[in-house]
């Protein structure tokens, strides 16, 4: 979703490219950078205890439009953020003779945990007001600290852990739950409790088996997926940024994917912009928020294919009973 601003903004394309990467002064192998995926992978770079990575940047702006428009004091800024650590770094790019903007931005290892987002923002003075956002690169880069391959899309991470006696103490209050969904980081994680239900991990990780085992595996996986979609949606709408007019802005990364997938079922017939605004209003003011849960439950059920899995399970049970009879 593109936010609407009450002042002129750029129409032309704004594109930022990562042209070089070095880790503690040593060049990163080109296989760790994917221009197509717009991802930099910093895991297994040959230095386990590295301190900082420097990303060389080159941005292309619609110069003709900038010259002819009402924008003054135009500044091209690279912004590196990660919500998991609340880290934020900015760097100003300088204009070159060929019209491009170049520079570099530093990612400090100690300030980041999983996956940082690299975005480009063009700010300018408009109608006498300085520092107004007039354009962004619509497709961010990602800098991944935990992946060895530069892959943009990743599945939800699945982690098996003993909630009762394992090393992760923060899981112990949930010792009686077979799983929980954690969404505070840049990638959702489903923690499966190895100590809650005896034999459940073997069933979930197995293949084939008896009809009863297959049915249990499919229904459990669907239940986990339903919980994950519901939790991810609530996280996405509770963590919205807003523009200077208070209009909610579509987030990036997995939060954007979740919202775009579920909004048409949560509030049918509305454009993403309108749906996001209404949800933010309901959440902030309280009215209609409880009624919205029905749509969220329905949307999560569709994503998890609950009805299809339940139909298969019922048919399997019915078939087994007929054979027994």
């Amino acid at each position: 979703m593109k936010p609407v601003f009450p002042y002129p903004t750029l129409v032309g394309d704004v594109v930022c490219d990562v042209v070089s990467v070095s880790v503690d002064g040593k060049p990163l192998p080109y296989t760790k950078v994917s221009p197509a995926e717009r991802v930099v992978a910093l895991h297994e770079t040959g230095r386990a205890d590295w301190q900082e990575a420097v990303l060389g940047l080159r941005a292309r702006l619609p110069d003709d439009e900038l010259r002819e428009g009402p924008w003054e004091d135009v500044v091209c800024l690279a912004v590196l953020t990660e919500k998991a650590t609340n880290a934020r770094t900015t760097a100003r790019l300088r204009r070159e003779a060929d019209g491009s903007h170049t520079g570099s931005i530093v990612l400090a290892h100690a300030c980041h945990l999983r996956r940082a987002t690299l975005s480009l923002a063009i700010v300018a003075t408009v109608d006498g007001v300085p520092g107004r956002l007039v354009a962004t690169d619509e497709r961010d880069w990602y800098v991944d600290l935990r992946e060895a391959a530069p892959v943009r899309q990743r599945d939800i991470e699945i982690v098996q852990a003993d909630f009762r006696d394992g090393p992760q103490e923060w899981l112990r209050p949930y010792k009686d739950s077979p799983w929980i969904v954690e969404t505070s980081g840049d990638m959702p994680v489903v923690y499966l409790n190895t100590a809650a239900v005896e034999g459940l991990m073997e069933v979930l990780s197995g293949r084939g088996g008896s009809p009863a085992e297959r049915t249990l595996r499919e229904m459990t996986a669907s239940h986990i997926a339903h919980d994950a979609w519901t939790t991810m949606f609530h996280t996405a709408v509770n963590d919205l940024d807003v523009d200077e007019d208070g209009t909610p802005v579509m987030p990036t990364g997995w939060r954007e994917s979740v919202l775009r997938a579920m909004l048409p079922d949560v509030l049918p017939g509305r454009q993403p912009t309108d749906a996001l605004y209404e949800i933010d209003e309901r959440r902030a003011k309280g009215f209609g928020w409880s009624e919205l849960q029905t749509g969220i439950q329905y949307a999560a059920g569709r994503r998890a294919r609950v009805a299809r899995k339940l139909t298969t399970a019922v048919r399997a049970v019915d078939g087994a009973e007929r054979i027994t009879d």
Side-chain angles (χ1 to χ4, degrees):
M1 179 191 77
K2 285 187 176 182
V4 177
F5 298 98
Y7 55 83
T9 57
L10 290 171
V11 176
D13 291 331
V14 172
V15 180
C16 180
D17 291 318
V18 174
V19 296
S20 66
V21 182
S22 64
V23 177
D24 288 346
K26 296 185 177 181
L28 189 71
Y30 73 92
T31 55
K32 297 288 186 178
V33 182
S34 173
E37 295 286 326
R38 298 175 75 79
V39 174
V40 177
L42 294 180
H43 186 52
E44 296 181 0
T45 61
R47 295 178 62 86
D49 194 24
W50 57 275
Q51 301 298 314
E52 66 177 27
V54 179
L55 285 69
L57 309 175
R58 182 180 295 274
R60 301 187 300 275
L61 280 59
D63 281 341
D64 291 342
E65 185 181 359
L66 282 170
R67 283 193 297 269
E68 298 171 1
W71 305 282
E72 301 175 346
D73 306 320
V74 177
V75 177
C76 183
L77 291 175
V79 184
L80 192 65
T81 59
E82 185 177 2
K83 289 189 176 181
T85 60
N86 202 30
R88 183 181 181 87
T89 305
T90 61
R92 181 170 179 169
L93 306 188
R94 61 184 179 276
R95 191 178 188 279
E96 303 291 348
D98 62 359
S100 65
H101 288 70
T102 64
S104 62
I105 193 166
V106 177
L107 183 148
H109 196 182
C111 296
H112 294 272
L113 180 64
R114 295 177 180 173
R115 189 176 244 211
T117 301
L118 175 64
S119 56
L120 189 75
I122 311 303
V123 298
T125 299
V126 186
D127 297 332
V129 180
R132 282 184 156 177
L133 181 67
V134 297
T136 60
D137 188 342
E138 295 183 8
R139 194 165 181 241
D140 294 330
W141 279 77
Y142 293 98
V143 185
D144 203 314
L145 282 71
R146 293 193 176 183
E147 291 292 328
V151 179
R152 189 175 184 87
Q153 298 295 334
R154 293 189 297 169
D155 295 330
I156 295 175
E157 187 176 357
I158 307 295
V159 175
Q160 294 186 18
D162 185 342
F163 290 14
R164 188 182 305 275
D165 300 315
Q168 296 168 299
E169 295 186 3
W170 69 273
L171 288 172
R172 291 178 186 173
Y174 314 108
K175 61 184 179 181
D176 295 325
S177 177
W179 62 79
I180 63 169
V181 183
E182 200 275 327
T183 56
S184 64
D186 286 344
M187 182 58 58
V189 180
V190 175
Y191 289 91
L192 302 177
N193 188 359
T194 59
V197 181
E198 185 177 355
L200 180 59
M201 297 303 105
E202 289 75 11
V203 171
L204 288 174
S205 60
R207 293 185 178 181
S210 67
E213 289 176 338
R214 292 196 298 269
T215 299
L216 175 61
R217 180 164 53 247
E218 290 295 319
M219 288 304 302
T220 304
S222 182
H223 192 172
I224 294 172
H226 186 277
D227 287 353
W229 279 104
T230 302
T231 304
M232 289 189 297
F233 184 89
H234 280 286
T235 300
V237 298
N238 283 327
D239 199 22
L240 291 173
D241 292 326
V242 297
D243 61 23
E244 61 182 23
D245 296 324
T247 302
V249 179
M250 184 69 75
T252 59
W254 66 263
R255 292 170 176 82
E256 178 183 7
S257 300
V258 167
L259 290 178
R260 290 194 182 280
M262 293 182 65
L263 283 176
D265 291 323
V266 176
L267 290 172
R270 292 171 174 81
Q271 294 295 322
T273 305
D274 298 332
L276 202 61
Y277 183 83
E278 181 172 339
I279 287 174
D280 191 60
E281 281 282 292
R282 292 192 187 192
R283 182 187 62 81
K285 298 181 179 179
F287 67 87
W289 180 246
S290 58
E291 291 83 352
L292 196 67
Q293 304 311 305
T294 302
I296 296 173
Q297 182 181 16
Y298 170 71
R302 287 200 64 188
R303 304 280 84 72
R305 301 181 179 180
V306 171
R308 180 180 299 181
K309 299 293 179 60
L310 184 59
T311 299
T312 302
V314 170
R315 288 175 178 173
V317 172
D318 183 64
E321 290 181 349
R322 290 177 184 274
I323 293 173
T324 302
D325 294 339

